[in-house]
Amino acid sequence: MKQTNRTVEYLLEASEFNWEVKPGKTISAWGFNQQVPGPVLKAKQGDTLVVKLVNNLPEATMIHWHGIRLQATMDGTGEVQKPIEPGETFEYRFELPDAGTFWYHSHQNETVQMERGMYGGIVVEAENDPVLDNDRILLIDDMKLDENNDFKTDKALGRWMERHDGRQGSTCLINGKEAQTLHMHAGQMERWRIVNAASARYFKLSLDGKPFKVIATDGGLLEAPRTETELLITPGERYDIVVGPFKEWEVFHFETLAYNRMTFGKSKRQNYATVHVIESIPSIASLPERLTEIPDLAPRNAAVNRKVKMSVNPSLKHGLDFKVNGEMHCNDEPVFVGDLQVWEISNTSMMDHPFHLHGFFFQILEENGEAPQYKAWKDTYNLKPKSNIKIAWMPDNRPGRWMYHCHILEHHAAGMMANFEVIDRNAPVLPRQNHFHCHA
Ligand code: C2O
Ligand code: CU
């Protein structure tokens, strides 16, 4: 649905700066354009996004455009580009084929760079978006700081626990701010686009038990709104919800409930922001019962053509190794353009892992042998301990190097990831590598 073919340009400067997370609490952040999160990039479906990145950090970086179905060369990973060194500039340019809520983040030394604030939201609007009174994007994060508000570095046991649990801190942020108040008018219905940008935090959304409607996820609108009072949002995932209308002067929390993902650190309920409902104003919102059509990529009983195994194993060297198909930093076999992929992904470990596929959306066909409750386009999906999912995805004509990984940044860094090539059979180029050393 390309109406305009506009080109939308942004300049992002990555640098180190002081960021006030709340009055009197300032951190030394790394981020884009001296703000955490970086600026929201806004465009319409079909537009071309051009982002010029200037790196003024003390180390190399690059940006990944999480959820955007772009060309492999623009994916912003070490597979497809050289890190952008301090003082260098790189121009990303790609079309936006899908409407929805996406995000961008550093894909270099992520456990440090993302923790310090190198991420931001992307909103791509569509002509058939439901009309609501207000649209906001809320990026969830948490930081682990010491008593001087420096990024905390653990020793021995703490380090080992952080490797196991992922890095989670008690400075809870919405759009880079701690314990803030959000205001919204009574009588209104708002679209809240929620992105979990945290390193490892599982966010189980609750608005003090008030019902809200889930209308979209990673790859855009659901077929119909779903009323919920709780919603688990794992690192990398997006959910758009519609809230309201509320009554004048209501006050409620935007908080996470406890979610036990089998970490050493105990999960607890934590407040992220407080919502104050102010005076009533007229509404123009209308939320249809039917939002879109999601065609099935494959029948539920489609034959599996690849198995992917995520595991955690004891190791003499690191204490624990995080693996895909028995290897750290696995190099998986290629797939061919146009060949429907039906993958069985299993998590053999005793903890949760959010599986993320770069550049393509998948559909869940089954989870532990059961059909999913509703249809959705996903790029990130949580695997519970000792569980498996069966997914379908289509490698369309975007050959090149891609990857999938656990979106808990410490697990990704510790090896729970794989690269693979998408090959166009009709192209005269040979794959860059043909040595694949991991098979399930
Ligand atoms: Cu949002 Cu490779 O990640
Ligand atoms: Cu993981």
Side-chain angles (χ1 to χ4, degrees):
M1 221 183 296
K2 232 187 271 180
Q3 335 90 335
T4 50
N5 291 309
R6 296 184 312 166
T7 297
V8 181
E9 293 183 38
Y10 284 94
L11 177 66
L12 293 182
E13 188 224 354
S15 68
E16 180 166 16
F17 54 93
N18 290 330
W19 178 253
E20 197 174 65
V21 295
K22 75 173 179 200
K25 184 170 175 183
T26 299
I27 59 162
S28 176
W30 289 9
F32 301 103
N33 299 7
Q34 312 228 356
Q35 59 188 86
V36 178
V40 179
L41 311 183
K42 278 198 185 130
K44 290 199 164 65
Q45 189 175 15
D47 287 350
T48 295
L49 188 62
V50 179
V51 179
K52 194 169 173 187
L53 172 66
V54 182
N55 183 10
N56 287 328
L57 288 171
E59 65 178 44
T61 193
M62 55 186 124
I63 303 183
H64 169 56
W65 312 91
H66 185 130
I68 306 221
R69 293 192 298 144
L70 36 61
Q71 297 299 319
T73 50
M74 290 290 129
D75 197 39
T77 69
E79 287 299 292
V80 294
Q81 76 171 109
K82 283 212 297 292
I84 304 156
E85 296 296 331
E88 284 182 357
T89 293
F90 186 88
E91 188 180 276
Y92 292 95
R93 174 185 291 267
F94 46 86
E95 246 187 65
L96 300 166
D98 305 294
T101 305
F102 309 100
W103 63 303
Y104 59 96
H105 62 76
S106 157
H107 216 283
Q108 171 84 2
N109 194 16
E110 295 102 309
T111 54
V112 171
Q113 295 191 5
M114 284 177 71
E115 168 73 353
R116 289 180 164 255
M118 293 190 64
Y119 60 86
I122 304 173
V123 173
V124 184
E125 292 173 336
E127 233 143 54
N128 67 341
D129 271 330
V131 178
L132 292 152
D133 296 309
N134 193 15
D135 193 305
R136 19 183 143 196
I137 185 162
L138 303 170
L139 291 104
I140 294 166
D141 190 12
D142 64 86
M143 286 174 178
K144 187 165 150 188
L145 305 173
D146 63 18
E147 53 288 346
N148 303 316
N149 297 327
D150 287 328
F151 287 87
K152 191 169 186 223
T153 37
D154 288 319
K155 305 226 163 43
L157 181 64
R159 264 263 249 310
W160 188 78
M161 279 174 61
E162 187 173 296
R163 185 181 171 91
H164 178 279
D165 289 4
R167 185 178 173 92
Q168 197 163 295
S170 55
T171 298
C172 298
L173 306 173
I174 297 281
N175 294 346
K177 297 287 178 187
E178 193 175 15
Q180 64 176 314
T181 303
L182 305 171
H183 293 101
M184 95 171 252
H185 285 283
Q188 302 266 288
M189 283 166 73
E190 296 196 351
R191 178 173 183 163
W192 292 359
R193 302 167 181 266
I194 306 169
V195 180
N196 187 343
S199 306
R201 161 95 50 183
Y202 276 42
F203 194 91
K204 192 172 183 185
L205 176 68
S206 162
L207 305 174
D208 285 349
K210 290 179 186 302
F212 51 83
K213 291 192 167 110
V214 183
I215 61 161
T217 183
D218 304 346
L221 294 172
L222 304 182
E223 292 195 310
R226 295 174 53 80
T227 302
E228 306 282 2
T229 54
E230 287 174 8
L231 181 66
L232 181 66
I233 309 172
T234 68
E237 279 191 298
R238 286 88 64 212
Y239 281 99
D240 296 8
I241 64 170
V242 171
V243 298
F246 300 111
K247 294 197 204 68
E248 281 184 340
W249 324 120
E250 278 188 74
V251 175
F252 60 89
H253 298 103
F254 185 104
E255 61 178 3
T256 178
L257 304 177
Y259 176 86
N260 182 8
R261 59 184 175 88
M262 310 298 273
T263 47
F264 294 122
K266 207 168 166 293
S267 171
K268 60 176 197 291
R269 178 174 190 151
Q270 257 163 316
N271 190 37
Y272 271 63
T274 306
V275 182
H276 283 237
V277 183
I278 54 176
E279 73 273 10
S280 181
I281 56 172
S283 171
I284 55 155
S286 79
L287 185 62
E289 264 167 47
R290 196 81 195 153
L291 297 167
T292 192
E293 195 83 37
I294 299 180
D296 285 325
L297 265 186
R300 192 178 150 190
N301 63 2
V304 170
N305 49 33
R306 177 167 306 188
K307 289 189 176 181
V308 172
K309 190 174 95 184
M310 300 167 92
S311 65
V312 180
N313 310 88
S315 120
L316 284 178
K317 204 158 149 213
H318 310 111
L320 286 175
D321 282 337
F322 290 78
K323 295 179 174 174
V324 165
N325 295 343
E327 299 222 358
M328 292 185 285
H329 307 281
C330 163
N331 191 5
D332 206 348
E333 290 179 61
V335 305
F336 292 92
V337 170
D339 287 1
L340 177 75
Q341 297 301 302
V342 180
W343 291 10
E344 183 190 284
I345 304 163
S346 57
N347 171 13
T348 65
S349 76
M350 290 306 294
M351 61 175 98
D352 291 56
H353 302 284
F355 170 88
H356 170 47
L357 174 65
H358 277 220
F360 302 86
F361 293 119
F362 54 83
Q363 291 178 351
I364 304 289
L365 302 181
E366 286 183 348
E367 177 166 2
N368 297 325
E370 308 269 343
Q373 284 180 25
Y374 60 98
K375 286 202 243 178
W377 290 110
K378 295 292 292 170
D379 59 51
T380 308
Y381 194 87
N382 186 51
L383 276 104
K384 297 192 182 81
K386 302 275 175 203
S387 75
N388 64 74
I389 55 174
K390 183 171 163 185
I391 66 167
W393 66 277
M394 179 53 87
D396 54 40
N397 195 12
R398 289 177 295 126
R401 303 285 302 167
W402 297 99
M403 66 167 68
Y404 57 83
H405 59 81
C406 172
H407 218 288
I408 290 176
L409 304 181
E410 289 68 25
H411 296 176
H412 177 189
M416 192 172 265
M417 58 98 51
N419 304 301
F420 65 98
E421 179 113 12
V422 172
I423 299 175
D424 177 3
R425 279 196 188 83
N426 304 314
V429 275
L430 290 169
R432 201 181 75 192
Q433 8 198 339
N434 49 15
H435 173 63
F436 311 107
H437 49 84
C438 75
H439 305 269

